[in-house]
Amino acid sequence: MELCLFLGCNTPAIRPDVERAIRATMPELGVDLADAEGYVCCPAFGSFPSTDDDSYLASSGWNLSIAEAKGLDIMVQCGSCYSSLRMGRDHLAHDEEKLARVNELIELTGRKLECKTKVRHVSEILYNEVGAEKISKTIKKNLNGLHGIVQYPCHTLFPSEIVGFEESPREPKALRILTEAMGATVDHYSRELQCCGGAGGFSKSSPAEATEFTKTKLDAIIDETKADFIVVSCITCLMYLDNIQKKLNDAQGTDKYHIPVFDYNQLLALCMGFDPKQVASICTVPRNKVIDRITAG
Amino acid sequence: MDFSQSDKDLWKQIYNTKDLLHCFNCSTCLSGCPASHGDPPLLVRNLARMVVYGLEEDLLNDDTPWACVSCSRCEEMCPMDVKPFEMILAIRRWQTLNDETRVPTAIVEIYKRGYTQSVGTNTELRASLGLPELQTITKMPEMLKLYQEMLMKTPVVSENDYMFNEE
């Protein structure tokens, strides 16, 4: 199958090794990726969705129509981009007036939007289209003997009737099953479904409280699991859970927090034998221990 | 609480859905809400009350809707289908419409280069990772001009156009 890759802002700008991992792994699993030339901000919830419908939905329509012109569905990794595009599409698909207005606004591009293009998350593609079995068969190395915990991206769970793909948004399993498919043991813990806390204004307007909020999650991981790594499938979860550990260590003068954080496709790329320098090199918490185990195995 | 200045029809301006009136302040929207731990806390149920009571001035000055992380747990869990996340966005929109200092600076960045981040300028790093050059809108000046032309027809940009003019 072929999908239109929507990269968003943070992945290509700050963590392009994740982009490399996605571009390397998906075609190996039969998912070819086409670029969305001339795409714009999804738009982020703190931008146009917080100002008015026209600017919000016109930006959604701008992006959706790029993929629609190619006759392709969109694939997204970033949780916020996924949710914003999918909610935008939902508004347009169920409101003829809004769709007509957006078509008026994007007319200057020569494109027309019919809302045929669907917006899909990379973890959903991996789970539903590729499947755990194919992943197990394709990888050359594995995570046998390693323990991990998974961070489900909130934006792929809630509101489930618009963005969801899990059988139960309160008991998600896709990312766990995908991680187990590479041989890892996934541990459960009490704060598994707690948000990473990294998106939106919270971490900027209440930095001390936001850090404390995420600390409770990390403490639960340390106290209740044998996690060698955290696996995410959202660029915000990745950057936030990675960077905050150094912040906590610096503030406390300890080295208590040092659980490496990986995007799912990064672990997949490592297990497929891709060069760690290309697919998993940008991080705050060192990843050597896990990477060495995979490459040696 | 002083209700003498309250505008009982304010909710129609801010979030015109009867669903809002079904809110009975059960506080389900607070459980699991990261920003409810903030200082000041984001208390979604209180905002719903303020909208229904029409406390215009208090609402205009309230920064907490902007602390929302957009995780949409409240949207999922609300037993009365108030759609609290949609309400948060609606309050932000109403605040922005009535107070230009609320216009998010991010939209000026997006207008100028298409993105909140400087996407596609890290060419050396990208090349070292074996990545292709990205066809960003910033590298397609004709396309960027069309995007700006489009945004200029939308309320937030046309009404605050001085923010978007190139120096």
Side-chain angles (χ1 to χ4, degrees):
Chain A
M1 72 186 304
E2 189 180 13
L3 295 165
C4 185
L5 176 63
F6 188 89
L7 286 166
C9 301
N10 287 332
T11 305
I14 305 173
R15 296 289 185 115
D17 56 341
V18 174
E19 177 186 340
R20 178 75 177 104
I22 292 170
R23 288 187 190 273
T25 51
M26 299 309 282
E28 297 276 317
L29 296 166
V31 181
D32 291 324
L33 302 172
D35 275 25
E37 298 90 358
Y39 76 96
V40 293
C41 179
C42 51
F45 285 118
S47 67
F48 296 122
S50 297
T51 65
D52 61 74
D53 252 359
D54 271 12
S55 60
Y56 169 22
L57 297 175
S59 295
S60 313
W62 180 282
N63 290 322
L64 292 166
S65 64
I66 292 174
E68 201 165 283
K70 293 175 190 279
L72 298 174
D73 287 343
I74 287 178
M75 187 187 89
V76 199
Q77 185 261 8
C78 169
S80 303
C81 293
Y82 169 74
S83 181
S84 171
L85 282 168
R86 199 144 169 179
M87 284 187 187
R89 183 191 180 279
D90 190 72
H91 282 295
L92 293 169
H94 295 107
D95 190 326
E96 282 178 23
E97 235 173 82
K98 284 180 185 169
L99 180 60
R101 174 63 181 146
V102 163
N103 271 315
E104 230 174 77
L105 285 164
I106 64 169
E107 197 183 7
L108 42 70
T109 64
R111 299 192 295 265
K112 192 175 179 321
L113 187 70
E114 293 177 65
C115 282
K116 284 182 180 162
T117 284
K118 294 195 179 71
V119 180
R120 304 180 67 175
H121 191 258
V122 59
S123 65
E124 186 265 326
I125 298 289
L126 286 164
Y127 186 64
N128 286 329
E129 299 290 346
V130 176
E133 205 180 319
K134 187 166 183 179
I135 289 172
S136 298
K137 281 183 186 156
T138 309
I139 53 173
K140 302 182 185 97
K141 297 168 185 296
N142 58 55
L143 306 176
N144 290 359
L146 289 169
H147 286 248
I149 67 98
V150 298
Q151 173 70 22
Y152 293 95
C154 303
H155 291 105
T156 66
L157 301 176
F158 315 121
S160 56
E161 68 178 45
I162 299 176
V163 304
F165 54 81
E166 298 272 0
E167 270 166 54
S168 163
R170 292 155 207 219
E171 282 180 77
K173 60 183 184 190
L175 209 49
R176 169 177 63 80
I177 290 173
L178 291 169
T179 306
E180 287 169 350
M182 296 189 290
T185 303
V186 175
D187 294 343
H188 292 283
Y189 66 108
S190 56
R191 293 184 183 268
E192 193 163 317
L193 287 189
Q194 180 176 312
C195 171
C196 75
F202 177 44
S203 62
K204 286 132 214 151
S205 58
S206 296
E209 291 75 13
T211 303
E212 185 59 30
F213 175 77
T214 306
K215 179 178 173 289
T216 60
K217 185 177 185 87
L218 291 165
D219 284 341
I221 297 172
I222 292 168
D223 293 343
E224 301 169 26
T225 79
K226 295 180 187 164
D228 298 300
F229 61 84
I230 297 172
V231 55
V232 303
S233 190
C234 163
I235 198 66
T236 301
C237 298
L238 178 73
M239 297 197 302
Y240 197 69
L241 291 176
D242 187 19
N243 296 340
I244 202 167
Q245 296 189 61
K246 183 177 187 298
K247 210 167 139 190
L248 281 166
N249 288 334
D250 289 351
Q252 301 184 356
T254 64
D255 186 31
K256 182 180 175 189
Y257 303 96
H258 52 252
I259 318 166
V261 190
F262 291 87
D263 174 70
Y264 181 81
N265 284 76
Q266 294 187 304
L267 287 175
L268 192 56
L270 292 167
C271 286
M272 284 180 173
F274 288 101
D275 182 359
K277 286 196 196 78
Q278 293 203 333
V279 300
S281 56
I282 306 171
C283 56
T284 303
V285 177
R287 291 165 166 162
N288 319 26
K289 262 191 185 168
V290 175
I291 292 176
D292 290 349
R293 272 287 290 273
I294 299 172
T295 47
Chain B
M1 199 171 269
D2 178 16
F3 287 98
S4 60
Q5 301 298 312
S6 82
D7 171 1
K8 66 179 170 46
D9 286 329
L10 187 70
W11 66 276
K12 291 178 189 164
Q13 273 182 53
I14 299 179
Y15 187 50
N16 193 1
T17 160
K18 284 245 162 45
D19 294 338
L20 173 65
L21 306 181
H22 297 152
C23 171
F24 62 100
N25 230 14
C26 72
S27 306
T28 305
C29 49
L30 303 191
S31 88
C33 170
S36 72
H37 297 261
D39 179 22
L42 165 60
L43 301 171
V44 182
R45 53 133 211 258
N46 289 25
L47 290 174
R49 284 294 91 181
M50 288 162 80
V51 175
V52 174
Y53 289 161
L55 306 179
E56 192 168 354
E57 209 174 307
D58 289 349
L59 262 177
L60 263 179
N61 295 322
D62 199 315
D63 295 330
T64 61
W66 299 86
C68 167
V69 304
S70 71
C71 74
S72 298
R73 267 177 182 70
C74 53
E75 196 97 340
E76 180 79 15
M77 307 300 176
C78 174
M80 300 312 284
D81 208 20
V82 167
K83 299 193 172 65
F85 176 55
E86 294 288 334
M87 182 192 76
I88 295 279
L89 290 180
I91 294 172
R92 290 182 185 178
R93 288 172 179 204
W94 173 79
Q95 288 180 330
T96 305
L97 188 71
N98 289 287
D99 175 1
E100 62 184 4
T101 66
R102 294 274 186 197
V103 173
T105 51
I107 73 169
V108 181
E109 292 297 333
I110 298 172
Y111 180 89
K112 285 188 175 156
R113 59 186 183 192
Y115 315 100
T116 56
Q117 304 281 348
S118 174
V119 179
T121 53
N122 51 351
T123 32
E124 261 175 55
L125 173 63
R126 291 181 61 86
S128 76
L129 300 177
L131 281 168
E133 197 175 323
L134 262 192
Q135 279 305 306
T136 62
I137 196 163
T138 328
K139 287 185 194 135
M140 305 161 84
E142 292 298 311
M143 199 54 93
L144 183 61
K145 237 174 105 187
L146 290 180
Y147 182 60
Q148 293 172 340
E149 198 182 311
M150 176 185 87
L151 288 177
M152 215 25 108
K153 293 176 189 155
T154 68
V156 70
V157 181
S158 63
E159 281 158 31
N160 300 285
D161 58 350
Y162 71 94
M163 296 181 191
F164 299 87
N165 292 335
E166 305 285 344
E167 292 94 50

